[in-house]
Amino acid sequence: VGRGTIDGNGQNGDWWRDFQSFPASRPRVIFLNHTQNVTLHGVTVKNGPSWHIHPFFSQNFSMLDCFVTAPKDSPNTDGIDPESCDGVDIIGCRFSVGDDCVAVKSGKIDMARKYQTPADHHTVRSCLMEFGHGAVTLGSELAAGIRNLSVTNCYFHATDRGLRIKTRRGRGKDSVIDNVLFDNIRMDKVLTPIVINMWYNCCDPDRYSEYVWCRDPLPVDDRTPHLGSFAFRNMECTGAEVAACYIDGLPESPIDQVELENITVDFAADAKPGKPSMRNQNEDRCRLGLYLDNVKRVRVKNVKLSGVEGRALTAEHCPDVAAEDFEER
């Protein structure tokens, strides 16, 4: 507890400049391994060689009124990555980093098979996220699943993506995300506010393989992930550029349900093209509206888009789509 600073000194040495050549993982600033009832309150954590805070198989971790910061071009300097934890509260914190601000994880498939410990009961509330690749991210290492998570009353500024879910074939049958709520969120200059990507192509040796990128339905087996129900509500987004919402499920494992309610997205007048998600063979988009592919049930209510190029709503391989009070200006 206190107003002190823990400085990882990632700017010294080769931690950022030559980050891909190390034979072992670069160190975290704070690593909490199998802990219970730990609170971090008021502290500044900065310049991590890689992730700043990494609670690992821990219970009842609270992060309150903290500031996590690193240059926006520093590689893999995630703010906090709770992994296979139960009971995580991130409240009243500010993040300004070079990768995901908050990234909830539960391990890759080998760890998940061995320990079967999902991420459970996570709350992110009243936080400011700046820069970085994603403001709040789930995955991609989520092979044991993520459940019972809420993100509310937050402000995202100038991140590449706002609410970001990423998984891929190979994460496994226990890689289930369900009961996730995003509510009362303000975004400004976030390139793509909402992304759900089941084709994530980073972090693994087979990232460019046909198994990962093939758009045909493949057999469902013990490597196939599943995404359940997601609710995005009461969001105001200004200065978007790439897409309002980009949701891309697997043909053999469609996302169960997506609800979009009380959302406005205004695109920047000088919007530039970019890739809404990290997947193989993806193409640049600009001012793309709501794009959904392979979602079983879609509900759109009181959603307003301004400055869209092309169709405001694209729903491919979505058998049950309902839109009410949906406007394009």
Side-chain angles (χ1 to χ4, degrees), residues 177-248:
I177 304 180
D178 204 5
N179 194 25
V180 171
L181 172 66
F182 303 100
D183 189 13
N184 194 24
I185 296 171
R186 174 83 166 85
M187 303 190 203
D188 184 45
K189 298 181 181 177
V190 173
L191 302 184
T192 304
I194 299 171
V195 176
I196 302 180
N197 174 24
M198 296 189 74
W199 306 84
Y200 187 63
N201 69 338
C202 285
C203 303
D204 297 286
D206 66 344
R207 58 189 291 189
Y208 299 124
S209 68
E210 184 177 359
Y211 175 67
V212 174
W213 59 253
C214 178
R215 300 293 295 189
D216 296 329
L218 299 183
V220 175
D221 56 25
D222 62 359
R223 299 173 298 169
T224 307
H226 179 73
L227 298 185
S229 177
F230 300 87
F232 303 89
R233 296 174 183 153
N234 304 311
M235 295 167 48
E236 182 181 352
C237 311
T238 56
E241 297 193 27
V242 177
C245 167
Y246 191 87
I247 296 177
D248 198 2

Side-chain angles (χ1 to χ4, degrees), residues 115-177:
Y115 297 108
Q116 300 180 353
T117 305
D120 203 354
H121 302 106
H122 287 41
T123 298
V124 180
R125 186 172 74 242
S126 301
C127 291
L128 166 63
M129 283 75 166
E130 297 180 288
F131 308 113
H133 294 171
V136 176
T137 296
L138 312 187
S140 75
E141 303 92 332
L142 46 79
I146 298 172
R147 61 197 186 197
N148 304 316
L149 177 142
S150 67
V151 180
T152 59
N153 305 336
C154 290
Y155 177 56
F156 304 161
H157 174 72
T159 58
D160 292 344
R161 299 162 189 91
L163 302 164
R164 182 188 191 196
I165 294 112
K166 52 186 182 181
T167 187
R168 45 149 288 188
R169 294 181 179 121
R171 288 294 183 246
K173 65 181 181 180
D174 296 318
S175 177
V176 178
I177 304 180

Side-chain angles (χ1 to χ4, degrees), residues 13-26 75-76:
D14 295 328
W15 296 121
W16 296 342
R17 183 173 62 251
D18 196 23
F19 69 97
Q20 292 180 328
S21 67
F22 288 99
S25 298
R26 293 169 292 149
N76 305 119

Side-chain angles (χ1 to χ4, degrees), residues 277-293:
S277 68
M278 296 176 68
R279 71 169 177 85
N280 296 314
Q281 304 171 9
N282 205 355
E283 59 188 68
D284 285 349
R285 307 292 186 118
C286 190
R287 298 181 186 172
L288 180 68
L290 306 182
Y291 176 88
L292 302 101
D293 193 358

Side-chain angles (χ1 to χ4, degrees), residues 30 38-43 45 52-53 55 60-68 79-81 87-95 101-102 123 125 127:
I30 299 174
V38 172
T39 297
L40 190 68
H41 187 180
V43 178
V45 185
H52 285 83
I53 305 169
N60 300 327
F61 171 73
S62 295
M63 181 178 175
L64 312 172
D65 190 26
C66 292
F67 180 31
V68 181
I80 178 171
D81 291 34
V88 174
D89 290 331
I90 304 168
I91 299 173
C93 296
R94 178 187 172 195
F95 299 87
C101 296
V102 175
T123 298
R125 186 172 74 242
C127 291

